[in-house]
Amino acid sequence: IFKYLDSFIYKRYSKVIACSDKALETFKARYNKVDCVSIPNGVNISKYRNALPYSKQELINVSEDTFIATMVARFTYPKRQDTLVKAISLLPDKFHAILVGGTPEDDGIVKIKELANTLGVDNRVHFLYTRSDVARILKSSDVVVMSSEYEGLSLSSIEGMACGHPFIASNVNGLREIVNGAGKLVECGNAKALADTIHKFAADADYYKDVTTKCVSRANEYDIKNVCSKYMEIYAHFVNKA
């Protein structure tokens, strides 16, 4: 019933805008006679590109040669912070993880802390909870990770790629569309593959630089200024027709 009601309503619009190419694909499959275009959501790229990094000592009280992998996400499904924690347990002691999001009382955080304790890496997994300085934290890291079962249009991924470091993501819907060809994709839940990817970034400076350059370039495609320009083009088209 709602499908037909939606179709009736959508046909009354001059144009419908989808927030991602995947959303456009889904919409077209259901309402193929409705005029719909994709304008992906955007991010204030300059905020992340120009953020002032902390020293690692200042951020989590570790030496500057510590290699930090950071993930910013809530501690609920479909996020998979457990995969990053397991990956850290497979890496040498100089590798640490920062997890941003949630509060100390969240069930998800409690479970991840228990996992870190069980694996013996509780001293290398740092919980910063919800922060207002995410851009600075990302800028202070060495790699940024998004481990998840699936995503919509992941703005966190765009922010991670904009900060000037390599980005690693699960090879799942909503992430591969943004990351493929720029950052690195690994099988969801595969801690060994994630650990190997992190280790390669630490060991190969040229590889690190190459992926970083691609990530920054990809993030720039989602600059909020570009998004605004595309919306204004559509508005201008209909204003001129009137």
Side-chain angles (χ1 to χ4, degrees), residues 156-168:
S156 294
S157 298
I158 300 168
E159 294 164 357
M161 288 191 290
C163 71
H165 302 297
F167 187 81
I168 309 170

Side-chain angles (χ1 to χ4, degrees), residues 67-73 80-81 83-85 87-88 96-99 138 141-148 154 156-157 160-161 163 165-170 175 184 186 194-195 197-198 201:
F67 196 90
I68 298 175
T70 295
M71 177 171 169
V72 181
R80 292 292 304 275
Q81 287 92 344
T83 306
L84 178 54
V85 173
I88 292 298
H96 286 231
I98 288 177
L99 301 177
L138 293 176
S141 308
D142 294 290
V143 297
V144 182
V145 176
M146 177 52 71
S147 177
S148 181
S154 177
S156 294
S157 298
M161 288 191 290
C163 71
H165 302 297
F167 187 81
I168 309 170
S170 303
L175 287 174
K184 304 308 295 183
V186 297
L194 179 55
T197 304
I198 293 172
F201 281 125

Side-chain angles (χ1 to χ4, degrees), residues 166 183-184 197 200-213:
K184 304 308 295 183
T197 304
K200 184 173 183 180
F201 281 125
D204 190 333
D206 290 336
Y207 180 68
Y208 185 102
K209 182 178 180 180
D210 179 60
V211 174
T212 296
T213 300

Side-chain angles (χ1 to χ4, degrees), residues 10-73:
Y10 280 127
K11 287 178 181 178
R12 299 175 68 84
Y13 289 104
S14 300
K15 191 177 290 289
V16 175
I17 298 174
C19 68
S20 70
D21 292 340
K22 187 67 176 180
L24 174 62
E25 178 185 327
T26 302
F27 187 91
K28 284 292 189 182
R30 192 163 189 174
Y31 310 109
N32 63 327
K33 295 182 179 180
V34 179
D35 187 4
C36 183
V37 296
S38 171
I39 301 181
N41 289 334
V43 169
N44 182 0
I45 298 299
S46 63
K47 174 182 177 180
Y48 294 86
R49 182 178 58 235
N50 301 325
L52 179 66
Y54 295 106
S55 70
K56 293 176 180 178
Q57 174 72 31
E58 181 182 9
L59 184 60
I60 55 172
N61 195 29
V62 295
S63 62
E64 292 304 310
D65 63 346
T66 302
F67 196 90
I68 298 175
T70 295
M71 177 171 169
V72 181

